[in-house]
mmCIF file of all heavy atoms in Angstrom:
data_model
loop_
_atom_site.group_PDB
_atom_site.id
_atom_site.type_symbol
_atom_site.label_atom_id
_atom_site.label_comp_id
_atom_site.label_asym_id
_atom_site.label_seq_id
_atom_site.Cartn_x
_atom_site.Cartn_y
_atom_site.Cartn_z
ATOM 1 N N SER Z 55 -23.734 -25.512 28.476
ATOM 2 C CA SER Z 55 -23.748 -25.054 27.091
ATOM 3 C C SER Z 55 -25.181 -24.965 26.564
ATOM 4 O O SER Z 55 -25.583 -23.971 25.948
ATOM 5 C CB SER Z 55 -22.911 -26.018 26.237
ATOM 6 O OG SER Z 55 -23.073 -25.716 24.887
ATOM 7 N N ARG Z 56 -25.973 -25.995 26.820
ATOM 8 C CA ARG Z 56 -27.383 -25.972 26.372
ATOM 9 C C ARG Z 56 -28.141 -24.843 27.047
ATOM 10 O O ARG Z 56 -28.938 -24.140 26.419
ATOM 11 C CB ARG Z 56 -28.048 -27.322 26.669
ATOM 12 C CG ARG Z 56 -27.610 -28.439 25.732
ATOM 13 C CD ARG Z 56 -28.643 -29.582 25.716
ATOM 14 N NE ARG Z 56 -28.699 -30.312 26.977
ATOM 15 C CZ ARG Z 56 -27.903 -31.359 27.275
ATOM 16 N NH1 ARG Z 56 -26.986 -31.771 26.412
ATOM 17 N NH2 ARG Z 56 -28.030 -31.981 28.428
ATOM 18 N N ILE Z 57 -27.901 -24.665 28.353
ATOM 19 C CA ILE Z 57 -28.609 -23.603 29.099
ATOM 20 C C ILE Z 57 -28.340 -22.243 28.463
ATOM 21 O O ILE Z 57 -29.270 -21.481 28.153
ATOM 22 C CB ILE Z 57 -28.138 -23.572 30.581
ATOM 23 C CG1 ILE Z 57 -28.642 -24.806 31.329
ATOM 24 C CG2 ILE Z 57 -28.604 -22.294 31.274
ATOM 25 C CD1 ILE Z 57 -27.983 -24.985 32.711
ATOM 26 N N LEU Z 58 -27.062 -21.930 28.248
ATOM 27 C CA LEU Z 58 -26.751 -20.583 27.741
ATOM 28 C C LEU Z 58 -27.208 -20.422 26.296
ATOM 29 O O LEU Z 58 -27.624 -19.332 25.890
ATOM 30 C CB LEU Z 58 -25.259 -20.289 27.886
ATOM 31 C CG LEU Z 58 -24.748 -20.146 29.327
ATOM 32 C CD1 LEU Z 58 -23.390 -19.477 29.356
ATOM 33 C CD2 LEU Z 58 -25.728 -19.372 30.215
ATOM 34 N N SER Z 59 -27.159 -21.493 25.544
ATOM 35 C CA SER Z 59 -27.649 -21.418 24.170
ATOM 36 C C SER Z 59 -29.128 -21.023 24.154
ATOM 37 O O SER Z 59 -29.552 -20.143 23.395
ATOM 38 C CB SER Z 59 -27.418 -22.781 23.513
ATOM 39 O OG SER Z 59 -28.081 -22.845 22.298
ATOM 40 N N ILE Z 60 -29.899 -21.650 25.038
ATOM 41 C CA ILE Z 60 -31.333 -21.316 25.121
ATOM 42 C C ILE Z 60 -31.515 -19.886 25.638
ATOM 43 O O ILE Z 60 -32.308 -19.104 25.107
ATOM 44 C CB ILE Z 60 -32.061 -22.323 26.052
ATOM 45 C CG1 ILE Z 60 -32.034 -23.719 25.426
ATOM 46 C CG2 ILE Z 60 -33.481 -21.863 26.347
ATOM 47 C CD1 ILE Z 60 -32.399 -24.847 26.405
ATOM 48 N N CYS Z 61 -30.771 -19.537 26.687
ATOM 49 C CA CYS Z 61 -30.910 -18.188 27.265
ATOM 50 C C CYS Z 61 -30.557 -17.118 26.239
ATOM 51 O O CYS Z 61 -31.229 -16.088 26.140
ATOM 52 C CB CYS Z 61 -30.006 -18.046 28.498
ATOM 53 S SG CYS Z 61 -30.616 -18.934 29.934
ATOM 54 N N ASN Z 62 -29.482 -17.378 25.479
ATOM 55 C CA ASN Z 62 -29.048 -16.380 24.505
ATOM 56 C C ASN Z 62 -30.081 -16.208 23.398
ATOM 57 O O ASN Z 62 -30.428 -15.094 23.006
ATOM 58 C CB ASN Z 62 -27.703 -16.802 23.911
ATOM 59 C CG ASN Z 62 -27.042 -15.690 23.130
ATOM 60 O OD1 ASN Z 62 -26.887 -14.582 23.626
ATOM 61 N ND2 ASN Z 62 -26.683 -15.979 21.887
ATOM 62 N N GLU Z 63 -30.589 -17.332 22.949
ATOM 63 C CA GLU Z 63 -31.564 -17.307 21.844
ATOM 64 C C GLU Z 63 -32.837 -16.590 22.261
ATOM 65 O O GLU Z 63 -33.461 -15.893 21.468
ATOM 66 C CB GLU Z 63 -31.850 -18.770 21.468
ATOM 67 C CG GLU Z 63 -32.791 -18.977 20.317
ATOM 68 C CD GLU Z 63 -33.399 -20.380 20.374
ATOM 69 O OE1 GLU Z 63 -32.676 -21.342 20.715
ATOM 70 O OE2 GLU Z 63 -34.607 -20.487 20.116
ATOM 71 N N THR Z 64 -33.189 -16.717 23.541
ATOM 72 C CA THR Z 64 -34.457 -16.152 24.011
ATOM 73 C C THR Z 64 -34.253 -14.894 24.852
ATOM 74 O O THR Z 64 -35.191 -14.413 25.477
ATOM 75 C CB THR Z 64 -35.203 -17.198 24.869
ATOM 76 O OG1 THR Z 64 -34.350 -17.566 25.971
ATOM 77 C CG2 THR Z 64 -35.522 -18.442 24.067
ATOM 78 N N SER Z 65 -33.017 -14.385 24.868
ATOM 79 C CA SER Z 65 -32.695 -13.205 25.676
ATOM 80 C C SER Z 65 -33.152 -13.351 27.121
ATOM 81 O O SER Z 65 -33.752 -12.440 27.708
ATOM 82 C CB SER Z 65 -33.293 -11.936 25.051
ATOM 83 O OG SER Z 65 -32.551 -11.593 23.909
ATOM 84 N N THR Z 66 -32.858 -14.502 27.688
ATOM 85 C CA THR Z 66 -33.208 -14.772 29.083
ATOM 86 C C THR Z 66 -31.979 -14.560 29.970
ATOM 87 O O THR Z 66 -30.949 -15.189 29.754
ATOM 88 C CB THR Z 66 -33.692 -16.240 29.222
ATOM 89 O OG1 THR Z 66 -34.780 -16.450 28.310
ATOM 90 C CG2 THR Z 66 -34.117 -16.540 30.644
ATOM 91 N N ALA Z 67 -32.124 -13.707 30.944
ATOM 92 C CA ALA Z 67 -30.976 -13.377 31.794
ATOM 93 C C ALA Z 67 -30.688 -14.495 32.786
ATOM 94 O O ALA Z 67 -31.603 -15.148 33.281
ATOM 95 C CB ALA Z 67 -31.233 -12.077 32.537
ATOM 96 N N VAL Z 68 -29.400 -14.695 33.068
ATOM 97 C CA VAL Z 68 -29.004 -15.778 33.966
ATOM 98 C C VAL Z 68 -27.899 -15.284 34.907
ATOM 99 O O VAL Z 68 -27.008 -14.535 34.495
ATOM 100 C CB VAL Z 68 -28.581 -17.016 33.130
ATOM 101 C CG1 VAL Z 68 -27.477 -16.670 32.135
ATOM 102 C CG2 VAL Z 68 -28.136 -18.167 34.010
ATOM 103 N N VAL Z 69 -27.996 -15.660 36.185
ATOM 104 C CA VAL Z 69 -27.009 -15.254 37.183
ATOM 105 C C VAL Z 69 -26.285 -16.492 37.699
ATOM 106 O O VAL Z 69 -26.889 -17.345 38.350
ATOM 107 C CB VAL Z 69 -27.684 -14.517 38.366
ATOM 108 C CG1 VAL Z 69 -26.664 -14.196 39.454
ATOM 109 C CG2 VAL Z 69 -28.371 -13.252 37.882
ATOM 110 N N PRO Z 70 -24.979 -16.622 37.407
ATOM 111 C CA PRO Z 70 -24.230 -17.765 37.945
ATOM 112 C C PRO Z 70 -23.946 -17.545 39.432
ATOM 113 O O PRO Z 70 -23.699 -16.417 39.864
ATOM 114 C CB PRO Z 70 -22.914 -17.746 37.143
ATOM 115 C CG PRO Z 70 -23.028 -16.650 36.137
ATOM 116 C CD PRO Z 70 -24.136 -15.739 36.585
ATOM 117 N N GLN Z 71 -23.995 -18.622 40.200
ATOM 118 C CA GLN Z 71 -23.736 -18.491 41.636
ATOM 119 C C GLN Z 71 -22.908 -19.669 42.144
ATOM 120 O O GLN Z 71 -23.204 -20.817 41.830
ATOM 121 C CB GLN Z 71 -25.050 -18.426 42.413
ATOM 122 C CG GLN Z 71 -24.847 -18.115 43.883
ATOM 123 C CD GLN Z 71 -26.167 -18.050 44.673
ATOM 124 O OE1 GLN Z 71 -26.601 -19.036 45.230
ATOM 125 N NE2 GLN Z 71 -26.779 -16.887 44.702
ATOM 126 N N GLY Z 72 -21.858 -19.368 42.913
ATOM 127 C CA GLY Z 72 -21.035 -20.410 43.522
ATOM 128 C C GLY Z 72 -21.476 -20.616 44.954
ATOM 129 O O GLY Z 72 -22.585 -21.055 45.222
ATOM 130 N N GLY Z 73 -20.627 -20.254 45.909
ATOM 131 C CA GLY Z 73 -20.925 -20.479 47.318
ATOM 132 C C GLY Z 73 -21.763 -19.387 47.959
ATOM 133 O O GLY Z 73 -22.042 -19.441 49.161
ATOM 134 N N ASN Z 74 -22.178 -18.401 47.174
ATOM 135 C CA ASN Z 74 -22.986 -17.281 47.687
ATOM 136 C C ASN Z 74 -22.309 -16.586 48.867
ATOM 137 O O ASN Z 74 -22.933 -16.268 49.873
ATOM 138 C CB ASN Z 74 -24.388 -17.774 48.079
ATOM 139 C CG ASN Z 74 -25.351 -16.617 48.357
ATOM 140 O OD1 ASN Z 74 -25.069 -15.468 47.978
ATOM 141 N ND2 ASN Z 74 -26.466 -16.904 49.015
ATOM 142 N N THR Z 75 -21.018 -16.374 48.759
ATOM 143 C CA THR Z 75 -20.296 -15.690 49.835
ATOM 144 C C THR Z 75 -19.834 -14.290 49.429
ATOM 145 O O THR Z 75 -19.180 -13.609 50.211
ATOM 146 C CB THR Z 75 -19.049 -16.496 50.267
ATOM 147 O OG1 THR Z 75 -18.153 -16.591 49.147
ATOM 148 C CG2 THR Z 75 -19.420 -17.888 50.730
#
Side-chain angles (χ1 to χ4, degrees):
Chain Z
S55 171
R56 286 201 291 273
I57 290 168
L58 292 196
S59 169
I60 294 165
C61 286
N62 193 52
E63 182 201 321
T64 58
S65 287
T66 304
V68 56
V69 175
Q71 187 180 92
N74 191 16
T75 62

